[in-house]
Amino acid sequence: MTLQDAKIGFKDCSDCPIRHRAVCARCETNELELLEKIKYYRSYEAGQTVVWSGDQMDFVASVVTGIAALTQTMEDGRTQMVGLLLPSDFVGRPGRNVAPYDVTATTNLMMCCFRKKPFEEMMQATPHIAQRLLEMTLDELDAAREWMLLLGRKTAREKIASLLMIIARREASLNVSADSDVRVFDLPLTREAMANYLGLTLETVSRQISALRKDGVIMLEGKRHVTVPDFQRLQDETGDDSDGGMLF
Amino acid sequence: MTLQDAKIGFKDCSDCPIRHRAVCARCETNELELLEKIKYYRSYEAGQTVVWSGDQMDFVASVVTGIAALTQTMEDGRTQMVGLLLPSDFVGRPGRNVAPYDVTATTNLMMCCFRKKPFEEMMQATPHIAQRLLEMTLDELDAAREWMLLLGRKTAREKIASLLMIIARREASLNVSADSDVRVFDLPLTREAMANYLGLTLETVSRQISALRKDGVIMLEGKRHVTVPDFQRLQDETGDDSDGGMLF
DNA sequence: TGGAAAATTTGATCTGTGTCAAAGAGACAT
DNA sequence: ATGTCTCTTTGACACAGATCAAATTTTCCA
């Protein structure tokens, strides 16, 4: 599966969480009809909370547009982002009733939701859905583990570069055409959200972005629009192997 | 499912990765026979590598005895543990050919392995296995995300206390009987392994353990044998909510 | 049982990131 | 346009944890 495939998958069937991430070929008509019946859309404004940690969560969903964040917060307010959901990403878990972390809309957000009970029933009836969800969950686990390396061992500069790479790769697959070295994208996160993603303070995030700009690794128009003149150069700043960890 | 159940599950059918973690009830005879045919055991000495990141991994397995660690290493040698496998834990992924991280034996290790091809065929044939693996993977994802909070936001002391709690909970379920406040267990990790787990240096790990000892939170006999006189006291040091995050 | 190698502890010092504070820049409503 | 509010940048300083070094304890093999 390539990102290109995923994009097509998303565009062609934007309301099926299983089809999302490029499994169109395996979805059959009667399943789609079933999904039609149990689906509904929900919109959230930037900053709104979708579910609170510990709350009942009676639906599963996939992101249609916008960005959502999964966060965990300690009693004294320290918060760590533990998941970043971009369009086509899936959220919620069959077999669990209670959300283990806060889900909040980072930007304006539209999600396609499915009530959990019927969704689970469909899972029982059509085995390949569980297999597909397993695959998606394993991908998420891989991402979480790469994130753990970032949190535990990378410097602030490497963390910023890594985050920019992640966003560049995701957004680039949606926006840009050429496979040239130059990449252009918008930062969909505030400095504070980036800090919560990276386990830093927002001041450190700001300083490191300034440093990368001064060193010519990135260019900024306004606070959000990023141009990467040399993608390899940014890659080198992440501390990751040059093959980008995309080896499976 | 309680930890007590898991213990029984492990003892009664130590060679079935699906039965492990207390799903005995759903395993049927013909599946067990199939598993018999494709299973084999492998042993590793402490320190040995089971698979290298990027290598072919043509089996899935579950830990019978000992401890294994999943680690990621950067080019310059910085390493971060991203998974800790205790007895009954599952490793490997149907649908993936290449290991995304190193798997090494932390102690002497025995694993019960299943060649991947036939295991996958069995998954196709018996849908509830994929569902069970999905559930297990979601548990792992939750653990990974709690770990991310630890790596990103906790102090060194909180990190140590959290790790001790995790081990105490797991080991206690195997060793101790009473639900008293006192817990006794062996630390199965070197200071270096703990440091790699927590995103610290081994010196900091040593210092913080000394500090917890001096403050009476833990007692040490030798370097490995730990006594926790007041479990709640240790819990308070972790920074976690008092309910222990076990709310699902 | 002795002795070398490995693991751990402890000390001294350094440094990257956090903390606190204030000034600048954008976004938006009136 | 003007002012208010939020987000971002920048500065000065503090401190938790890293680094470098050495002493001590444990392990384990001869």
Side-chain angles (χ1 to χ4, degrees), chain A residues 15-245:
Chain A
D15 48 6
C16 167
I18 306 303
R19 282 200 163 194
H20 284 167
R21 301 182 126 180
V23 281
C24 292
R26 302 205 55 190
C27 268
E28 282 142 39
T29 316
N30 55 338
E31 295 162 23
L32 284 179
E33 273 167 22
L34 218 166
L35 283 171
E36 273 312 303
K37 283 191 198 133
I38 61 176
K39 92 173 181 206
Y40 57 102
Y41 291 95
R42 304 185 77 163
S43 292
Y44 300 87
E45 312 247 302
Q48 268 193 298
T49 296
V50 178
V51 272
W52 293 103
S53 164
D55 276 6
Q56 203 74 14
M57 184 162 172
D58 59 353
F59 62 95
V60 298
S62 83
V63 176
V64 178
T65 59
I67 294 183
L70 313 181
T71 57
Q72 283 195 295
T73 301
M74 296 170 69
E75 284 153 343
D76 61 4
R78 283 175 281 174
T79 84
Q80 174 66 50
M81 198 186 294
V82 297
L84 184 64
L85 302 174
L86 304 185
S88 91
D89 281 336
F90 188 79
V91 60
R93 35 196 50 200
R96 290 283 154 69
N97 292 316
V98 167
Y101 15 73
D102 299 333
V103 182
T104 52
T106 294
T107 63
N108 289 342
L109 176 70
M110 166 119 90
M111 298 201 308
C112 175
C113 306
F114 301 86
R115 281 178 299 116
K116 210 169 58 173
K117 266 277 171 49
F119 188 86
E120 281 170 0
E121 282 158 22
M122 196 181 74
M123 255 184 71
Q124 294 289 337
T126 56
H128 84 255
I129 291 185
Q131 281 167 38
R132 179 59 194 142
L133 285 177
L134 174 59
E135 211 170 298
M136 286 168 59
T137 306
L138 286 169
D139 285 345
E140 269 191 276
L141 190 55
D142 283 340
R145 285 171 165 164
E146 216 160 304
W147 200 337
M148 285 170 56
L149 175 65
L150 178 150
L151 289 171
R153 294 303 188 193
K154 288 190 178 179
T155 65
R157 176 183 260 245
E158 287 169 339
K159 286 178 174 182
I160 298 286
S162 300
L163 176 56
L164 292 176
M165 281 295 293
I166 288 167
I167 294 171
R169 273 208 274 260
R170 284 291 297 249
E171 299 242 326
S173 74
L174 300 173
N175 296 332
V176 182
S177 51
D179 42 5
S180 113
D181 263 3
V182 180
R183 311 265 176 137
V184 177
F185 57 92
D186 284 320
L187 264 184
L189 301 177
T190 65
R191 299 290 183 261
E192 189 184 24
M194 293 174 74
N196 287 338
Y197 185 107
L198 300 170
L200 298 171
T201 60
L202 64 90
E203 292 95 332
T204 300
V205 169
S206 179
R207 274 187 250 272
Q208 295 297 335
I209 289 180
S210 296
L212 287 174
R213 183 167 44 66
K214 210 178 314 180
D215 296 349
V217 180
I218 60 172
M219 281 136 65
L220 286 176
E221 260 175 278
K223 302 301 170 197
R224 294 298 181 82
H225 194 73
V226 180
T227 302
V228 180
D230 180 351
F231 204 57
Q232 184 58 47
R233 175 88 187 283
L234 180 59
Q235 168 66 44
D236 292 344
E237 295 280 356
T238 63
D240 294 327
D241 290 356
S242 41
D243 57 37

Side-chain angles (χ1 to χ4, degrees), chain B residues 33-217:
Chain B
E33 273 168 21
L34 218 167
L35 283 171
E36 274 311 305
K37 284 192 196 134
I38 63 175
K39 90 171 184 210
Y40 57 100
Y41 292 95
R42 303 184 77 164
S43 292
Y44 299 87
E45 310 249 301
Q48 268 192 301
T49 296
V50 178
V51 270
W52 293 102
S53 164
D55 276 7
Q56 202 72 18
M57 183 162 173
D58 57 353
F59 62 94
V60 298
S62 82
V63 175
V64 178
T65 58
I67 293 183
L70 313 181
T71 56
Q72 283 195 296
T73 302
M74 296 170 69
E75 284 153 342
D76 62 4
R78 283 175 281 173
T79 83
Q80 175 65 51
M81 198 185 294
V82 297
L84 185 64
L85 302 174
L86 304 186
S88 90
D89 282 335
F90 187 79
V91 60
R93 33 195 54 199
R96 289 284 154 69
N97 292 314
V98 167
Y101 16 71
D102 298 334
V103 181
T104 51
T106 293
T107 63
N108 289 344
L109 176 71
M110 167 117 91
M111 299 202 307
C112 176
C113 307
F114 301 87
R115 281 176 300 117
K116 210 169 55 169
K117 266 278 171 51
F119 188 85
E120 280 169 2
E121 283 160 19
M122 197 181 74
M123 255 184 71
Q124 293 290 336
T126 57
H128 83 255
I129 291 186
Q131 281 168 35
R132 179 60 194 140
L133 285 177
L134 174 59
E135 211 170 298
M136 286 169 59
T137 307
L138 286 170
D139 285 344
E140 268 191 277
L141 191 55
D142 283 339
R145 285 172 164 163
E146 215 160 305
W147 200 336
M148 284 170 56
L149 175 65
L150 178 149
L151 290 171
R153 295 303 188 194
K154 288 190 179 178
T155 65
R157 177 184 259 245
E158 287 169 339
K159 286 178 174 183
I160 298 286
S162 301
L163 176 56
L164 292 176
M165 281 294 292
I166 289 168
I167 294 171
R169 273 209 273 261
R170 285 289 299 249
E171 298 243 327
S173 75
L174 299 172
N175 296 332
V176 182
S177 51
D179 43 5
S180 116
D181 261 4
V182 179
R183 310 262 177 139
V184 177
F185 57 93
D186 284 319
L187 263 184
L189 300 176
T190 65
R191 298 293 182 259
E192 189 185 23
M194 294 173 74
N196 288 338
Y197 185 108
L198 300 170
L200 297 171
T201 60
L202 64 91
E203 291 95 332
T204 298
V205 169
S206 179
R207 274 186 251 272
Q208 295 297 336
I209 288 180
S210 296
L212 287 175
R213 182 168 44 67
K214 209 178 315 180
D215 295 348
V217 181

